[in-house]
Every structure is written in structure tokens, then in C-alpha cells.
Amino acid sequence: MTEIKRPSLGELDLPIGKRARLHSILYEHGVGNGTALILPIDHGLEHGPRDFFSNPESAGPEFQLRLAKEGGFSAIALHVGLAEKYMGKYAGEVPLILKLNGKTSIPPETRAFSPQTASVEDALRLGADAVGYTLFVGSPAQDQDILQFSRIREECRRYGVPLIVWSYPRGEAIDAKGGRDSIYAVDYAARVANDLGADMVKLNIPEYREEKSKQYPEPYDKLRLDTEDALRRVVASAGRTMTLVSGGEKMGDAELIEKTRASMEAGATGLIFGRNLWQRPFAEALKITWKMKKLLAEYPS
Ligand code: FBP
């Protein structure tokens, strides 16, 4: 496949406010070479307290804030309640990405939609360097979602706040076409984020599964790509939107490092790994963070 060069901040021609805030995330924190290592902790709302059972200390978010600071992360992503109640003593030290919408996992995801939970004004008040928005691509509620997203996108433009989209294929139509992580669905989600005006897009690793490939719409049914080439494909579809690859459920160290390597080789700007870091004891989480950062250091832009 053709080599994809990832978009660098300098080339993106962004308005000055967005550029200044992204500079903080990409060059003043984290590895500081234009890559991003982001720690999300929106799981309490999205998945419920069960995600914290394996490491009770992580119910925090003090645990994650300390990890973000001591591990030197590019930013932490969380909802407004956590930001207001716990960010105080980390203000300015750990860049904040304020999630602006969210939902619980309690009802079935047949009509997935995350209502707005905070505003761009909240983000500015809290000193955030970016906002996060979850968009359910392909959901029967996507009309409502895209409208809600568009209003937030306009405000972000007005106030110079970078907009990071969690671009998630969801719903029955997506399931019927091979599932939320299929190369077809993730590639589409990457393209949607670029078309709708995201500055960064968070994507899951796309997969080609032989047993499901008959369900994939053409030409994806014949697109037998390995993980790295599938990632290249979606980074290409994200165009001038920087790509962040998400972590998913906890895996072993070697697998995590391989996921990091494949993402960066494919042209991702960085990683947004949550459970894989904070479901480890603090010292182990720090150790794997340093390994990941050593690898990210090899991909300057
Ligand atoms: P993880 O690394 O723990 O997967 O976190 C990334 C993330 O995008 C979180 O921000 C979000 O809460 C979660 O994944 C959503 O996961 P799911 O795919 O189960 O909805």
C-alpha cells in the first residue's frame, strides 16, 4: 500500500486558537514531538463502575490524574463532573480534553445517541485544550447526532477550540454490514470525521474477518488487509484529520507495544489508551507508559 505521511500541525492551516491549544497537547506535553498519548477516563459514564473492579484504586480519577502527570501524558479526557471536582490541583500541568456528550451502556444500542452533557463554554472555563465528542456513525439516531455535532463544531471554530471526535460505527445497519470494527465501518467513520470538520478522530483498530467478509459492502469484502495496512487505509480516509487509535480491553505488554508500533507505522498521530493503562497497578502502568513513549519518540513530525 502507499505510504501515508501523517498530517503535522504546521501543515494544517488551523485557526490560531486551535493551533495554540493543539501545540500544548502535541509539543508541550507527552513526548513533545508532534505525537499524542492521551489517557481517557470517561468509562464511569460509558461503561459503569465495573471497569474499575480489577484495579479498585483506579475508580479515581485521582489515580488517572496522577498517572497522566507522572507519566507525562499529552492530555487526559474526561467528563465535566470529574473535571470540575478533581482537576483543580492539576490545572495547567495535565492538558484537559473535556468530553461534551455521553451516555450509559444500560439501554440496548439500537438507537445509539450521546446527548450533550457540557458546552464549549464549560471547556473554556475549565481551561481545556480540546473537546471530545462521540458520534455514532450509522446509528438510526445519526440525524440528531450530526445536527448536535454541527452546532458544537461551529462553536469550536468560533472560540478556537480543537474538536476530537470519537467516531464510532454503531447500530443494526452497521451490525448487518459486518460489525462496528470491520474495515468497512471504521474506514467510513474516519471519512465522516474528516467531512464533518473534526480536528482529530479517535478510531478503533479496523479488522478484516474472513467469516464476516460476505456481509461487508463491496469492495471491502475483498479487502484482505492485515492490521497495519487496514490502519493505513483508515488514516488515508481521515485525510487532514489527525488519527488517534484507541486501546480497547486490557491486553498483555507485548501486544500493547505491537499495537502502538503498528498505529504509528500506519500514520496515526497517537494513541488514546485507557483501560490498558489504568487497569494496571500504578508502577506497571508507568513502566508501560515509558515503553510506549520511547516508541512514540521515533515518530516526530
Ligand atoms: P479504552 O482504551 O479503555 O478502550 O478507552 C478508549 C475509549 O474510547 C474511551 O474513551 C471510551 O469510554 C471507551 O473507549 C468506549 O468503549 P466502547 O467501545 O466499549 O464503547
Side-chain angles (χ1 to χ4, degrees), residues 34-167:
T35 61
L37 181 59
I38 295 168
L39 193 67
I41 187 218
D42 52 345
H43 305 62
L45 176 63
E46 302 294 339
H47 296 166
R50 69 188 163 143
D51 276 10
F52 311 115
F53 279 24
S54 63
N55 178 16
E57 271 192 283
S58 71
E62 184 64 29
F63 184 93
Q64 288 82 355
L65 281 160
R66 208 156 61 81
L67 181 60
K69 184 180 166 186
E70 289 180 32
F73 277 73
S74 312
I76 192 162
L78 34 72
H79 284 288
V80 65
L82 298 189
E84 286 178 344
K85 292 171 194 160
Y86 303 92
M87 278 292 293
K89 71 176 189 222
Y90 296 91
E93 295 192 86
V94 177
L96 166 66
I97 297 167
L98 188 70
K99 282 298 296 282
L100 294 192
N101 67 339
K103 66 162 188 58
T104 74
S105 59
I106 301 166
E109 281 200 321
T110 41
R111 210 180 168 277
F113 172 70
S114 282
Q116 189 169 350
T117 52
S119 60
V120 176
E121 204 175 294
D122 285 319
L124 292 174
R125 172 173 61 80
L126 291 164
D129 278 314
V131 295
Y133 184 97
T134 300
L135 182 76
F136 291 118
V137 176
S139 163
Q142 72 170 15
D143 300 9
Q144 190 184 357
D145 210 350
I146 289 173
L147 277 176
Q148 179 178 262
F149 171 83
S150 300
R151 282 193 294 269
I152 288 175
R153 199 249 321 134
E154 280 168 20
E155 278 185 40
C156 284
R157 184 90 194 166
R158 193 170 325 128
Y159 296 114
V161 178
L163 176 52
I164 305 179
V165 175
W166 276 230
S167 201

Side-chain angles (χ1 to χ4, degrees), residues 40 42-43 46-47 166 168 170 202 246-248 272-275:
D42 52 345
H43 305 62
E46 302 294 339
H47 296 166
W166 276 230
Y168 279 3
R170 286 288 190 280
K202 178 229 159 255
S246 86
I272 176 158
F273 286 3
R275 287 166 287 180

Side-chain angles (χ1 to χ4, degrees), residues 219-232:
Y220 293 92
D221 55 340
K222 295 183 189 65
L223 217 55
R224 284 181 180 74
L225 300 176
D226 64 18
T227 300
E228 201 174 304
D229 280 340
L231 274 166
R232 279 202 179 87

Side-chain angles (χ1 to χ4, degrees), residues 185-240:
V186 181
D187 200 31
Y188 209 151
R191 176 73 200 204
V192 166
N194 198 35
D195 278 28
L196 291 185
D199 298 304
M200 279 188 183
V201 59
K202 178 229 159 255
L203 297 168
N204 287 315
I205 297 256
E207 58 182 27
Y208 178 89
R209 302 235 323 248
E210 193 66 50
E211 69 279 15
K212 288 198 168 180
S213 61
K214 283 198 178 62
Q215 289 173 269
Y216 301 168
E218 282 180 5
Y220 293 92
D221 55 340
K222 295 183 189 65
L223 217 55
R224 284 181 180 74
L225 300 176
D226 64 18
T227 300
E228 201 174 304
D229 280 340
L231 274 166
R232 279 202 179 87
R233 166 79 255 140
V234 303
V235 168
S237 292
R240 283 165 74 85

Side-chain angles (χ1 to χ4, degrees), residues 21-39 67-69 71-77 93-97 129 200 244 269-271 289 293 296:
R21 291 182 169 93
L22 283 175
H23 193 273
S24 164
I25 292 174
L26 296 170
Y27 294 100
E28 292 159 43
H29 294 87
V31 177
N33 64 347
T35 61
L37 181 59
I38 295 168
L39 193 67
L67 181 60
K69 184 180 166 186
F73 277 73
S74 312
I76 192 162
E93 295 192 86
V94 177
L96 166 66
I97 297 167
D129 278 314
M200 279 188 183
L244 301 170
T269 293
L271 309 152
T289 299
K293 286 177 75 175
L296 291 184

